[in-house]
């Protein structure tokens, strides 16, 4: 039995220290933590000057999340604590190359924690591990490209290759990467969106005709109420707190819906305001609803039923004209709601009628409502239903496509939305294929490719033989860690295009390669001069990004250069024109992807430009009926036995996706460790468990038992029979083949587990 990828470490377990949770985010601690992070990463000299360019017009885009920058004036400090952590990761002066890898086998390195691996520094030269070899050795770039090209061309079928993309990849690199894969003959283009907002894309496209949010930053101050569902902005999108604070100061009401009461939705001390640094809190959410895990459909139906009752009672509540003219399916939807029992609603969401009604009164008084969400809605078996019930609620009063109203799925990675717009998708729309064939004169593959979960399956079953990753750490991000690790081991070749070492580099195919690339904050010099790239944020704004730091090594290549190198060695095509001048890539994007007219000209605008959005721009719904769709979904039923719990995996405040910046989760009061399980104190009593007790967690699915060992019990404000753990440590409990209907997103937010005393 192979050793677990995330075995318990004695020293980490002993170090765990618990303190009271915080009831506010930001403040002096955020400033202090940012400075400490730069120092810890030896990034003071490179990080501080770079930070003054981060998210600035004509600067570079933060490599963290996808929260937008203001269209107007930017603050001198236009970043948050976690933006600095993301920058420090890449602006560190530490680097590792051939000498370091000559001293360490992959097995030895895999004994290090993810945090220790990320502290090693930037990858400084291309590396290769041959079959049977235990260590990486340095390799020449051209030799590396030749080897990959030879392997790809030796495949009996292009679908034996998989091309994964993480959300940091720029538009230009993503466009060329998908073109490369399709020219090779495959649509195997899984991306990190498959594991996060795929459910948002599917749920929204079906009902309102666009898989993206429909609001701008300005709408937040025009709203009357903002509902934050299944999202922890204080950690995952911290600058959103400034937007929420401005909204609250305009009298906007905020309702947070989350099993956990997160500091970031309770109150905020703005670290760029003297009062904030001195601890003056702005209360954000006026109502917090501690919903049971996966209770969102029930809560949304409750509000919908109450709206119907009010309409029946006094009229003038629903926007009947909007419903009449702009939607279909209302009658069936209404009939369905009449048959939904309150008992079902209350048992599913775990809230009292009073709690639901109190929030409903705020909604009822609110003409304009914005609903924001993240993984808490998208990583469930019924995730698409979660999203579509949000749409149902807003359609009832025409709260879509008007100022101050709409949907706002908040993307977790800086360009994950842009990559999808560039064609990084396993089932490409016909117009994309037609555009590519017309512009590049080739026959593109039509058969759908693999998304993430099916890529894991194809590698595990030996159907896929080559895995190439443009950034990211799919091993740690994926569900079912041990299954995923075995899938990678069964590949002939794994290639990782990365800035820093992570666990995904240590679990490899027979042959493995690491191709070190420039980071977002580094200068990208090509034959025609310094190049800029472009990205798209959560609100559909495309803007430029141009790093200013000297590359940490002269052995690095840009993502665009690497794809052009692969095209030469694999397709025997000369893409040097694209490599020399990225505006030529944008000229092609303009011809293939709708909405990018005058791309290079408009990219010169300091604030960038908005992509077309039918709902936002003209309340038009480009669906199969050209109307918005009301949909009908069942309330999920969880018949948990006494000893069973619903588990959700979450991030700490010292984490960005799978990158571990540190071992603390300051807002939740957890310090020095990550192997914890947050439990309701009454559930602890029932299981006769105390704080710090060690337990194993076990999940059973499809006759397979999955276990993670030695987690420490932490009492926390969480609904009964619900527990929370951190990923990637608990990902091993999430079955790879248990995923959301339609979107195939792993169900990391609702896994049935048992807790066994150690
Ligand atoms: S909110 Fe997101 S994009 Fe903005 S600075 Fe923080 S991590 Fe970066």
């Amino acid at each position: 039995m192979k050793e677990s990828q995330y075995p318990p470490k004695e020293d980490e377990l002993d170090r765990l220290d618990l303190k009271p949770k915080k009831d506010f985010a930001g403040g002096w601690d955020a400033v202090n933590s940012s400075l400490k992070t730069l120092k810890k990463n030896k990034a003071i000299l490179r990080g501080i000057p770079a930070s003054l360019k981060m998210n600035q017009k004509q600067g570079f885009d933060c490599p963290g999340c996808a929260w937008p920058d203001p269209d107007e004036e930017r603050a001198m400090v236009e970043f948050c604590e976690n933006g600095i952590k993301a920058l420090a990761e890449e602006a560190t002066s530490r680097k590792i190359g051939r000498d370091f890898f000559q001293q360490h086998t992959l097995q030895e390195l895999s004994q290090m924690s993810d945090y220790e691996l990320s502290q090693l520094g930037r990858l400084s030269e291309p590396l290769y591990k041959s079959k049977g070899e235990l260590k990486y050795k340095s390799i020449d770039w051209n030799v590396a490209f030749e080897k990959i090209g030879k392997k790809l061309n030796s495949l009996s079928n292009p679908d034996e290759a998989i091309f994964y993309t993480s959300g940091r990849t720029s538009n230009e690199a993503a466009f060329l990467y998908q073109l490369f894969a399709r020219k090779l003959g495959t649509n195997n283009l899984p991306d990190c969106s498959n594991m996060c907002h795929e459910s948002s894309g599917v749920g929204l496209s079906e009902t309102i005709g666009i898989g993206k949010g429909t609001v701008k930053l300005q709408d937040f101050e025009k709203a009357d109420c903002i509902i934050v569902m299944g999202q922890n902005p204080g950690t995952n999108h911290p600058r959103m707190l400034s937007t929420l604070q401005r909204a609250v100061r305009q009298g906007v009401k905020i309702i947070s819906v989350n099993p956990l009461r997160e500091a970031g939705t309770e109150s905020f001390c703005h670290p760029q305001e003297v009062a904030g640094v001195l601890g003056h809190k702005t209360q954000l959410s006026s109502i917090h609803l501690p919903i049971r895990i996966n209770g969102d459909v029930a809560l949304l139906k409750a509000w919908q039923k109450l709206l119907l009752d009010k309409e029946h009672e006094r009229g003038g509540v629903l926007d009947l004209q909007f419903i009449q003219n702009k939607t279909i399916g209302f009658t069936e939807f209404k009939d369905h709601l009449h048959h939904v029992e309150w008992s079902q609603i209350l048992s599913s969401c775990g809230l009292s009628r009073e709690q639901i009604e109190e929030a409903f009164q705020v909604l009822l008084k609110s003409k304009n409502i914005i609903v924001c969400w993240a993984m808490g809605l998208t990583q469930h078996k019924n995730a698409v239903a979660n999203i579509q019930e949000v749409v149902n609620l807003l359609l009832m009063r025409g709260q879509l496509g008007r100022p101050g109203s709409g949907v706002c799925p908040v993307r977790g990675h800086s360009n994950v939305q842009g990559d999808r717009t560039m064609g990084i998708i396993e089932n490409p729309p016909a117009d994309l294929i037609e555009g590519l064939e017309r512009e590049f004169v080739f026959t593109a593959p039509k058969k759908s490719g693999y998304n993430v979960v099916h890529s894991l399956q194809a590698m595990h079953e030996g159907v896929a033989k080559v895995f190439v990753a443009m950034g990211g750490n799919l091993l740690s991000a994926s569900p079912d860690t041990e299954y995923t690790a075995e899938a990678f081991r069964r590949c002939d070749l794994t290639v990782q295009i990365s800035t820093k070492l992570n666990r995904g580099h240590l679990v490899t195919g027979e042959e493995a390669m690491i191709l070190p690339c420039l980071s977002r904050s580094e200068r990208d010099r090509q034959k025609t001069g310094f190049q800029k790239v472009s990205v798209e944020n959560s609100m559909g704004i495309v803007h430029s990004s141009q790093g200013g730091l000297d590359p940490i090594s002269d052995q690095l290549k840009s993502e665009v250069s690497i794809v052009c190198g692969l095209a030469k060695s694999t397709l025997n095509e000369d893409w040097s024109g694209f490599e020399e001048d990225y505006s030529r890539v944008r000229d092609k994007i303009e011809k293939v992807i709708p909405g990018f007219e005058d791309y290079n000209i408009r990219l010169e605008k300091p604030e960038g430009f908005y992509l077309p959005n039918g709902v936002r721009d003209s309340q038009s719904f480009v669906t199969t009926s050209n109307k918005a769709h009301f949909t009908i979904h069942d309330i999920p039923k969880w018949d948990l036995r006494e000893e069973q719990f619903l588990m959700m995996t979450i991030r700490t405040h010292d984490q960005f996706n799978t990158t571990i910046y540190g071992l603390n989760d300051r807002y939740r009061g957890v310090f020095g460790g990550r192997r914890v399980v947050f439990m309701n104190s009454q559930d602890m009593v029932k299981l006769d468990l105390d704080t710090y007790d060690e337990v194993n967690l076990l999940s059973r699915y499809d006759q397979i038992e999955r276990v993670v060992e030695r987690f420490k019990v932490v009492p926390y404000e969480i609904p009964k029979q619900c527990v929370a753990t951190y990923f990637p440590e608990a990902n091993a409990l999430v079955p790879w083949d248990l995923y959301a209907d339609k979107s195939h997103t792993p169900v990391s937010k609702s896994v049935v587990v048992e807790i066994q005393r150690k």
Side-chain angles (χ1 to χ4, degrees):
M1 171 71 173
K2 285 262 187 306
E3 194 204 4
S4 156
Q5 290 304 314
Y6 287 96
K9 290 184 188 303
E10 218 50 67
D11 58 342
E12 187 192 332
L13 286 163
D14 299 342
R15 228 188 358 246
L16 182 69
D17 180 24
L18 302 176
K19 296 188 170 65
K21 75 177 280 296
K22 294 251 184 215
D23 65 357
F24 73 93
W28 169 248
D29 293 345
V31 179
N32 189 21
S33 162
S34 303
L35 295 171
K36 278 190 179 160
T37 301
L38 287 169
K39 186 159 175 275
K40 182 180 68 180
N41 283 278
K42 294 198 176 315
I44 296 274
L45 292 181
R46 285 164 55 86
I48 291 188
S51 68
L52 299 175
K53 285 274 181 208
M54 187 152 77
N55 296 333
Q56 294 298 335
K57 295 178 179 177
Q58 317 296 16
F60 68 92
D61 184 58
C62 167
C65 80
W67 187 254
D69 314 312
D71 291 347
E72 317 74 33
E73 207 43 48
R74 304 273 162 96
M76 192 182 86
V77 173
E78 193 55 64
F79 53 79
C80 74
E81 173 192 349
N82 281 6
I84 278 293
K85 290 172 186 170
L87 173 62
E89 282 278 315
E90 53 178 65
T92 174
S93 52
R94 291 194 194 106
K95 55 184 175 182
I96 45 177
R98 65 186 71 189
D99 301 343
F100 172 84
F101 286 97
Q102 249 353 94
Q103 292 155 29
H104 303 279
T105 65
L106 276 69
Q107 178 50 30
E108 285 161 358
L109 291 171
S110 67
Q111 301 311 306
M112 298 171 83
S113 71
D114 288 359
Y115 172 57
E116 290 159 338
L117 289 172
S118 86
Q119 288 297 300
L120 292 170
R122 294 283 304 278
L123 295 160
S124 62
E125 59 184 311
L127 299 157
Y128 171 61
K129 184 198 79 65
S130 60
K131 188 173 179 180
E133 176 60 66
L134 302 178
K135 294 179 179 176
Y136 280 109
K137 289 192 172 68
S138 69
I139 185 171
D140 172 80
W141 273 105
N142 293 326
V143 177
F145 287 140
E146 287 316 314
K147 273 186 183 297
I148 298 168
K150 193 158 167 260
K151 182 66 192 174
L152 288 172
N153 286 326
S154 73
L155 297 173
S156 58
N157 171 341
D159 281 333
E160 293 177 353
I162 292 172
F163 298 95
Y164 174 76
T165 308
S166 94
R168 191 207 53 215
T169 307
S170 68
N171 281 359
E172 292 75 8
F175 183 78
L176 292 180
Y177 193 50
Q178 61 85 29
L179 176 64
F180 171 75
R182 293 193 164 109
K183 281 217 157 192
L184 186 74
T186 183
N187 283 317
N188 288 346
L189 287 155
D191 70 329
C192 60
S193 187
N194 294 154
M195 292 180 286
C196 65
H197 271 290
E198 194 71 52
S199 306
S200 305
V202 172
L204 293 175
S205 301
E206 285 184 355
T207 48
I208 64 172
I210 185 169
K212 302 177 180 182
T214 66
V215 296
K216 296 180 177 181
L217 265 186
Q218 300 88 315
D219 286 304
F220 280 73
E221 291 170 53
K222 296 181 184 141
D224 302 302
C225 174
I226 298 166
I227 307 173
V228 180
M229 297 186 84
Q231 186 197 359
N232 176 18
T235 287
N236 303 330
H237 315 95
R239 276 189 303 155
M240 181 174 168
L241 301 191
S242 323
T243 305
L244 294 179
Q245 184 188 48
R246 275 196 301 277
V248 164
R249 286 174 174 169
Q250 309 275 334
V252 178
K253 294 285 183 220
I254 296 177
I255 298 173
S256 79
V257 180
N258 193 322
L260 300 179
R261 189 178 191 123
E262 302 284 17
T265 43
E266 274 198 77
S267 59
F268 178 48
C269 299
H270 201 315
Q272 293 174 39
E273 295 178 354
V274 177
V277 172
L278 297 175
H280 173 72
K281 300 174 189 167
T282 303
Q283 184 186 349
L284 296 180
S285 59
S286 49
I287 295 176
H288 170 66
L289 296 174
I291 198 167
R292 293 192 71 229
I293 289 177
N294 204 216
D296 307 278
V297 165
L299 174 61
L300 291 160
K301 281 184 188 299
W303 288 336
Q304 295 158 8
K305 275 175 79 64
L306 291 167
L307 281 176
L308 276 186
D309 295 349
K310 279 289 172 220
E311 176 64 26
H312 189 66
E313 192 185 297
R314 67 176 198 214
V317 174
L318 304 188
D319 187 335
L320 297 176
Q321 196 187 1
F322 173 88
I323 291 171
Q324 176 66 32
N325 302 338
K326 299 265 186 182
T327 74
I328 62 170
F330 181 66
T331 310
E332 298 77 5
F333 164 73
K334 196 169 64 170
D335 295 348
H336 159 79
L337 269 183
H338 284 312
H339 296 93
V340 174
E341 300 298 332
W342 272 99
S343 56
Q344 216 189 342
I345 286 174
L346 298 177
S347 67
S348 170
C349 70
L351 301 168
S352 68
R353 182 81 185 247
E354 293 67 34
Q355 286 174 305
I356 294 172
E357 297 257 7
E358 183 200 2
F360 174 70
Q361 287 309 320
V362 174
L363 301 190
L364 190 59
K365 294 194 197 87
S366 302
K367 183 164 177 298
N368 291 309
I369 297 177
I370 293 175
V371 182
C372 305
W373 68 80
M375 303 310 100
L377 289 194
T378 66
Q379 295 179 328
H380 297 272
K381 186 115 181 56
N382 71 327
V384 171
N386 286 342
I387 311 303
Q388 296 187 339
E389 289 295 355
V390 169
V391 171
N392 282 340
L393 178 73
L394 296 177
L395 288 179
M396 293 175 83
R397 295 200 286 164
Q399 293 164 327
L400 271 163
R402 70 177 195 220
S405 279
V407 290
C408 183
V410 186
R411 306 281 172 160
H413 214 171
S414 54
N415 199 35
V416 63
Q417 191 160 305
D419 295 339
R420 184 51 61 87
T421 304
M422 287 301 112
I424 300 288
I425 186 169
E426 75 278 2
N427 48 6
D431 61 350
L432 171 69
I433 293 297
E434 282 151 25
L436 290 170
E437 292 185 330
R438 184 186 60 246
E439 194 56 35
F440 296 97
V441 196
F442 77 108
T443 303
K446 311 291 186 296
K447 186 166 79 73
S448 283
Y450 301 135
N451 56 25
V452 163
V453 288
H454 295 130
S455 295
L456 301 178
Q457 182 184 19
M459 291 193 282
H460 199 272
E461 293 171 357
V463 175
K465 301 184 178 353
V466 176
F467 173 83
V468 180
M470 180 66 84
N473 174 4
L474 187 60
L475 171 77
S476 301
S478 289
D480 226 333
T481 315
E482 307 316 327
Y483 176 91
T484 300
E486 191 51 32
F488 281 112
R489 290 190 200 101
R490 292 181 183 180
C491 288
D492 296 353
L493 172 65
T494 49
V495 178
Q496 306 267 357
I497 299 160
S498 308
T499 55
K500 300 198 73 182
L501 190 67
N502 64 50
R503 197 160 299 285
H505 300 109
L506 308 177
V507 180
T508 71
E510 287 181 347
E511 291 178 271
M513 240 178 252
I514 302 178
L515 304 179
C517 64
L518 290 172
S519 68
R520 188 75 67 66
S521 54
E522 286 171 324
R523 251 198 295 271
D524 181 352
R525 180 197 292 272
Q526 298 297 336
K527 209 167 175 189
T528 64
F530 291 116
Q531 301 299 313
K532 68 176 73 171
V533 293
S534 52
V535 293
E536 176 190 339
N537 60 37
S538 290
M539 290 175 188
I541 305 167
V542 174
H543 60 92
S544 69
S545 176
Q546 187 160 17
L549 289 176
D550 291 333
I552 193 81
S553 153
D554 59 9
Q555 279 286 306
L556 307 184
K557 281 183 180 291
S558 72
E559 296 168 330
V560 167
S561 299
I562 292 171
V563 178
C564 294
L566 291 174
K568 182 93 186 95
S569 66
T570 312
L571 307 172
N572 195 20
E573 290 188 7
D574 176 6
W575 290 14
S576 58
F578 291 142
E579 183 175 11
E580 292 163 8
D581 182 347
Y582 299 178
S583 70
R584 296 171 187 154
V585 183
R586 291 186 284 271
D587 288 340
K588 292 295 184 185
I589 294 171
E590 180 175 332
K591 296 210 173 76
V592 173
I593 310 286
F596 284 84
E597 300 71 25
D598 301 328
Y599 192 178
N600 281 307
I601 295 165
R602 291 195 291 162
L603 198 62
E604 290 310 310
K605 284 170 59 183
E607 71 280 8
F609 60 93
Y610 281 88
L611 287 174
N613 184 309
V615 178
R616 182 197 61 218
D617 303 340
S618 57
Q619 219 178 35
S620 53
F621 303 100
V622 189
T623 60
T624 51
S625 66
N626 285 324
K627 291 193 172 188
H629 292 202
F630 280 100
T631 51
I632 296 173
H633 304 281
D634 295 330
I635 292 179
K637 208 165 176 334
W638 293 98
D639 296 325
L640 298 178
R641 294 195 307 277
E642 185 72 12
E643 74 285 5
Q644 291 181 317
F645 295 83
L646 262 185
M647 177 195 82
M648 63 180 192
T649 64
I650 57 178
R651 288 187 201 171
T652 72
H653 191 60
D654 272 356
Q655 176 180 357
F656 174 71
N657 290 342
T658 55
T659 305
I660 310 299
Y661 301 134
L663 297 176
N664 300 334
D665 190 7
R666 179 175 84 237
Y667 294 152
R668 299 193 184 108
V670 176
F671 294 85
R674 299 178 47 85
R675 290 185 90 79
V676 299
V677 54
F678 295 100
M679 289 186 73
N680 175 288
S681 44
Q682 292 173 48
D683 288 336
M684 288 170 60
V685 172
K686 223 172 9 177
L687 294 184
D688 188 22
L689 290 170
D690 277 325
T691 307
Y692 292 110
D693 278 356
E694 276 190 27
V695 295
N696 293 346
L697 287 91
L698 177 144
S699 72
R700 301 173 203 274
Y701 179 71
D702 216 7
Q703 280 91 46
I704 297 175
E705 278 189 7
R706 296 169 174 84
V707 180
V708 291
E709 297 180 333
R710 306 188 64 188
F711 277 58
K712 297 246 179 176
V713 174
V714 176
Y716 209 80
E717 242 186 278
I718 188 169
K720 283 198 288 191
Q721 269 193 299
C722 296
V723 295
T725 52
Y726 298 141
F727 78 86
E729 287 81 357
N731 278 353
L733 292 169
V734 184
W736 75 270
D737 51 352
L738 179 55
Y739 41 70
D741 301 333
K742 291 185 180 171
S743 63
H744 302 159
T745 300
V747 297
S748 308
K749 289 290 186 285
S750 49
V751 180
V752 178
V753 298
E754 292 161 38
I755 294 177
Q756 300 172 334
R757 179 184 288 282
K758 182 78 187 91

